[in-house]
Amino acid sequence: MSVAQTINPGVSFRSMVVKPPSHPTYDIKGVIKLALAEDAGDRGDVTCLATIPFEMEVEAHFLAKEDGIVAGISLAEMIFHEVDPSLKVEWSQKDGDYVQKGLQFGKVSGQAHNIVVAERVVLNFMQRMSGIATLTKTMADAACPACILETRKTAPGLRLVDKWAVLIGGGRNHRMGLFDMVMIKDNHISIAGGIINAIKSVDQYLEQQNLQMEVEVETRTLEEVDEVLRYTSQTKSSLTRIMLDNMVIPLPNGDVDVSMLKDAVEMINGRFETEASGNVTLETVHKIGQTGVTYISSGALTHSVKALDISLKIDTELALQVGRRTKRA
């Protein structure tokens, strides 16, 4: 289920400049409720109940504590609305914008108790999404003209959220899950008894089930690439993309040798989309992108994310003083 199908239809989220990817069963509202419930437990926020008069109203400001790409603004609005639909949220930036350390880029006003209850869940999502978007932006710029993709190496339960952050950062989405693309990997090939047997089995299955979807096969050697090309030149196949796995060879001096990858791309010669995988880092992605591959996939975009430091402060002047003292603002 898409985000648009799970939010309150009476709420207008003007900040949703990048739409989330679609998913047939994902319930973003359920994920938000789960995050709030694990925080509240069976008693609610006992500190708020003890210290904050329920009728008190305040204004809290979002503060960037480091440079990066902000993401999760639309999701933050959804969380605040789930906690208290009367909260008013305003932004000076939108998802995908660059923010500098020390910038106040949004505010929420209304009942103090509900703002503080929502605070940590909002920040957890925003910091993670902004970290993913920031790394994605850097990688996407360096990979050009190739497109950068994430993988299924996402936090359990946060697949759609992580992939949404990649889109906000300027990347492209790989398959959402096991259901929306056929991806023949090394284990499938081993079990099927070879790469051609695996492709044949996929072709037969898709025809029997009357399914049309993208099909990718993983190759690890130039011999496997040649085998796939010879088979598909003689037989009609549903194959659409060839993954070139670990064809980027690390060198002792820290550089990489991309000659094998380049040879594979030249062999394929535009007959199929190509995807480079393995040894993709900030230092290597530009060189990989110059080989002519269509896509470069990186699991690190989501599985090794460094959160972007963002805070939500009611007393912003004191927060800035502390931030300057600790060199975080």
Side-chain angles (χ1 to χ4, degrees), residues 95-124:
D95 278 331
D97 281 350
Y98 179 78
V99 294
Q100 289 183 302
K101 182 170 71 172
L103 178 69
Q104 292 183 31
F105 62 90
K107 65 181 181 180
V108 55
S109 55
Q111 207 166 56
H113 183 279
N114 290 332
I115 290 173
V116 176
V117 165
E119 173 192 358
R120 178 42 52 196
V121 173
V122 166
L123 290 176
N124 282 349

Side-chain angles (χ1 to χ4, degrees), residues 144-179:
C144 191
C147 297
I148 198 77
L149 307 172
E150 85 295 87
T151 67
R152 285 169 48 240
K153 297 174 183 177
T154 54
L158 297 182
R159 174 71 52 83
L160 186 142
V161 173
D162 282 1
K163 286 179 173 281
W164 190 3
V166 168
L167 293 180
I168 291 169
R172 297 271 294 273
N173 286 153
H174 210 305
R175 60 177 179 162
M176 179 60 69
L178 300 173
F179 59 91

